Amino acid sequence: MFIKSIFLIIFFVVMIGVGLYSRKHATNVNDFVLGGRSVGPWLTAFAYGTSYFSAVVFVGYAGQFGYKYGLASTWIGIGNALIGSLLAWVILGRRTRIMSNHLTAATMPDYFGKRYKSKALRIAASAIAFIFLIPYTASVYNGLSRLFGMAFDIPYEVCVIVMAVLTCVYVILGGYMATAINDFIQGIVMLVGIVAVIAAVLSGHGGFMEAVRSLAEMESDVAVTMGQKGAFTSFFGPDPLNLLGVIILTSLGTWGLPQMIHKFYAIKDEKSIQSGTIISTLFAVIVSGGCYFLGGFGRLFDTAAIHKADGSVIYDAIIPEMLSTLPDILVGVVIVLVLSASMSTLSSLVLTSSSTLTLDFLKDNFIKKMSEKKQLLCMRLLLVFFIVCSVVLALFPPKSIAQFIAQLMGISWGALAGAFLAPFLYGLYWKGVTRAAVWASFICGIGITVSNLFLSYIASPINAGAIAMIVGLIVVPIVSLITPKMNKKEIDEIFSCLEEQVVVDKKIALPKERKNNK
């Protein structure tokens, strides 16, 4: 207990210290929300990765999907690295930075309002972001608190409240720069921690090969494996189709999440984008790939502790049960690892939600004259309000919403990415997207996710979220082709920023060869 407590105290002191240090970088709205658009590659890449992977992934997703799909769940981590990180940076990074700066957009709803010349779209997007980021935040608290309960035997309620207060303090103090610096520190802890935990867990089962052999020989429910022997060590696992749904939601979903896209708004320059692409991809390979790989051995820890009285599995208890067998010093490392992942995600979520509600919902709509000072005050107050809402949902979750962390996060990701992904992506590349198409995507994304919550016509909320995203990608171009186009002059002006000529070094881009006139 002493070792674990020391780790925690050091972590909290560093976190608050960074918040105090970063106060000078949070004196105006641009600095508070975007860090002055001058954040370098390492800070941005780690901020992207740590916002991506939290206790939800480590405790909820790795536990549930590792138990369901075995070692094949590692494909989720690979998908997160290649689609959620590498392709996201390549396809979205540069254009998002250029166009958001050209439009002076500080948030995703602000981008929708200015890209599509619609105040109504901006207000609707800000409301969607605020509402559906709350269950995501609650799921992070849930996963973090379960791990704390295992390590310290502290009541769930106390864990949630302490985490909320600490997040609130350092984000209010330092804004985006405080979260970026803390994310970098927390990212290093995550990288070291996940490698150490995997090595320790496998060592406890005789090493990698022995652990795989034990997993392959386990008797399991025929209904799950369809009689396939060694299903949980096979290439695609016992249920490839549902595994694909998880990969789509957790990988492609990041392309439409406001708190993830926000990182591209703040990046400094071209070199930072190039370096950040490599760094964030490698980070995802190690952290996400490691988490799901570790979760794939979950069935080796199938004890009474992970089952209810009726025999059903408590998925969120699998990883804590796995870690409870480790030495105290490693449990301390794990606690700091998951705390790092979760606090970085929480800070990103609360900053995104408060800035969105202030700049896109209240400013110019309900409060006409809003000075810089008032905007900062409003963001800080709403930051507290958002945290209180998410804490209440974490402490008193409606039974109808979700039973496990993965489902709670699936609802949030499904609604946000289902609504935002298609109009954001197409809007960066295609001049032909119409306002009606954006509204159609919002309606489809929210409609599918929320209606399925009550009607359950799609068995898994995870698959419902994945379907919502795919539907949006189909609906937006179809509706755009049959609805009135936007003003050509306005659209050409918006895209003009992509045509501006810049001078770069030859090491970045080779010049065109001159034709020989002889």
Side-chain angles (χ1 to χ4, degrees):
M1 184 64 71
F2 176 76
I3 293 171
K4 291 181 280 191
S5 300
I6 289 295
F7 279 174
L8 277 183
I9 291 169
I10 293 171
F11 179 84
F12 292 149
V13 168
V14 170
M15 196 167 59
I16 299 300
V18 169
L20 291 169
Y21 167 78
S22 303
R23 281 186 302 174
K24 61 184 179 182
H25 295 289
T27 55
N28 58 61
V29 172
N30 188 50
D31 288 348
F32 188 83
V33 178
L34 296 171
R37 294 188 193 266
S38 60
V39 184
W42 284 91
L43 290 184
T44 302
F46 272 64
Y48 186 90
T50 54
S51 297
Y52 197 164
F53 311 116
S54 66
V56 176
V57 171
F58 190 76
V59 179
Y61 273 31
Q64 176 166 337
F65 300 127
Y67 191 89
K68 283 185 174 181
Y69 309 126
L71 292 183
S73 64
T74 308
W75 282 111
I76 305 172
I78 295 171
N80 291 173
L82 297 181
I83 302 172
S85 294
L86 178 62
L87 283 181
W89 277 74
V90 170
I91 294 174
L92 302 178
R94 183 180 293 102
R95 283 189 176 238
T96 299
R97 174 63 175 82
I98 294 169
M99 196 170 284
S100 65
N101 187 51
H102 178 65
L103 296 173
T104 62
T107 64
M108 185 179 275
D110 196 17
Y111 164 84
F112 284 129
K114 291 174 178 176
R115 165 64 180 83
Y116 298 106
K117 302 294 182 180
S118 171
K119 184 183 287 188
L121 278 175
R122 189 180 71 169
I123 294 172
S126 64
I128 292 168
F130 186 82
I131 292 168
F132 287 97
L133 282 175
I134 291 176
Y136 186 7
T137 309
S139 69
V140 176
Y141 286 130
N142 193 347
L144 191 59
S145 300
R146 285 183 183 276
L147 209 59
F148 262 67
M150 176 274 293
F152 295 97
D153 197 25
I154 299 174
Y156 172 76
E157 294 79 10
V158 174
C159 295
V160 170
I161 292 169
V162 170
M163 294 306 100
V165 170
L166 285 167
T167 304
C168 199
V169 168
Y170 87 78
V171 179
I172 283 177
L173 285 173
Y176 183 81
M177 190 57 74
T179 66
I181 295 172
N182 268 324
D183 287 349
F184 180 72
I185 297 168
Q186 292 159 357
I188 293 172
V189 173
M190 289 167 67
L191 289 172
V192 174
I194 192 65
V195 173
V197 170
I198 291 172
V201 169
L202 294 181
S203 177
H205 275 79
F208 172 66
M209 294 305 296
E210 181 61 25
V212 171
R213 187 190 64 78
S214 300
L215 189 63
E217 293 178 354
M218 287 187 68
E219 293 184 7
S220 53
D221 188 353
V222 176
V224 176
T225 63
M226 295 178 287
Q228 178 186 357
K229 188 167 182 174
F232 297 108
T233 56
S234 62
F235 198 67
F236 290 120
D239 190 0
L241 190 60
N242 279 312
L243 176 62
L244 179 62
V246 179
I247 294 171
I248 292 173
L249 178 72
T250 61
S251 301
L252 193 60
T254 60
W255 296 28
L257 297 180
Q259 76 276 12
M260 301 298 294
I261 298 300
H262 181 253
K263 304 299 183 290
F264 298 137
Y265 286 42
I267 200 164
K268 187 177 181 181
D269 52 26
E270 174 66 24
K271 185 179 178 182
S272 297
I273 291 174
Q274 293 174 349
S275 303
T277 302
I278 298 169
I279 297 165
S280 68
T281 303
L282 293 175
F283 184 91
V285 168
I286 297 170
V287 174
S288 185
C291 284
Y292 287 109
F293 175 74
L294 180 66
F297 293 96
R299 286 181 178 266
L300 297 180
F301 299 83
D302 196 347
T303 64
I306 68 167
H307 291 274
K308 294 182 181 178
D310 62 2
S312 59
V313 179
I314 307 171
Y315 293 118
D316 301 341
I318 294 171
I319 296 296
E321 175 64 18
M322 183 185 292
L323 301 176
S324 66
T325 62
L326 300 179
D328 276 351
I329 191 164
L330 267 179
V331 172
V333 170
V334 171
I335 292 299
V336 177
L337 181 162
V338 180
L339 188 61
S340 297
S342 301
M343 296 301 283
S344 57
T345 302
L346 287 172
S347 62
S348 178
L349 291 171
V350 297
L351 183 61
T352 299
S353 61
S354 62
S355 59
T356 292
L357 205 61
T358 300
L359 301 177
D360 304 318
F361 193 78
L362 297 178
K363 183 187 174 187
D364 298 331
N365 297 313
F366 297 94
I367 305 176
K368 296 298 182 184
K369 292 183 179 180
M370 207 172 188
S371 65
E372 190 98 353
K373 191 175 180 180
K374 284 183 179 179
Q375 290 175 49
L376 282 171
L377 177 62
C378 187
M379 276 189 277
R380 288 181 165 116
L381 291 174
L382 284 173
L383 199 149
V384 176
F385 174 71
F386 179 86
I387 286 180
V388 169
C389 290
S390 58
V391 165
V392 170
L393 185 59
L395 295 178
F396 310 102
K399 292 181 180 179
S400 60
I401 287 186
Q403 188 177 6
F404 300 112
I405 295 174
Q407 277 69 19
L408 195 61
M409 181 176 162
I411 293 165
S412 177
W413 275 44
L416 290 168
F420 295 158
L421 189 155
F424 183 80
L425 174 61
Y426 286 127
L428 291 175
Y429 283 87
W430 184 29
K431 295 181 180 181
V433 184
T434 64
R435 296 187 190 94
V438 182
W439 283 113
S441 182
F442 285 6
I443 293 167
C444 287
I446 302 301
I448 291 172
T449 310
V450 174
S451 62
N452 187 65
L453 178 62
F454 297 101
L455 302 177
S456 299
Y457 50 87
I458 302 171
S460 167
I462 308 294
N463 289 342
I467 291 170
M469 286 187 285
I470 294 170
V471 168
L473 290 170
I474 296 170
V475 163
V476 167
I478 292 174
V479 175
S480 294
L481 292 173
I482 60 176
T483 52
K485 302 293 182 287
M486 292 181 62
N487 182 281
K488 186 177 184 301
K489 186 178 179 181
E490 291 179 344
I491 293 298
D492 288 342
E493 194 282 324
I494 290 170
F495 277 81
S496 64
C497 59
L498 301 173
E499 307 301 328
E500 291 178 14
Q501 297 293 311
V502 294
V503 179
V504 298
D505 295 334
K506 285 186 179 181
K507 63 183 179 183
I508 295 175
L510 289 170
K512 291 182 180 179
E513 290 187 12
R514 294 179 181 176
K515 292 182 179 180
N516 194 334
N517 294 323
K518 290 183 179 180

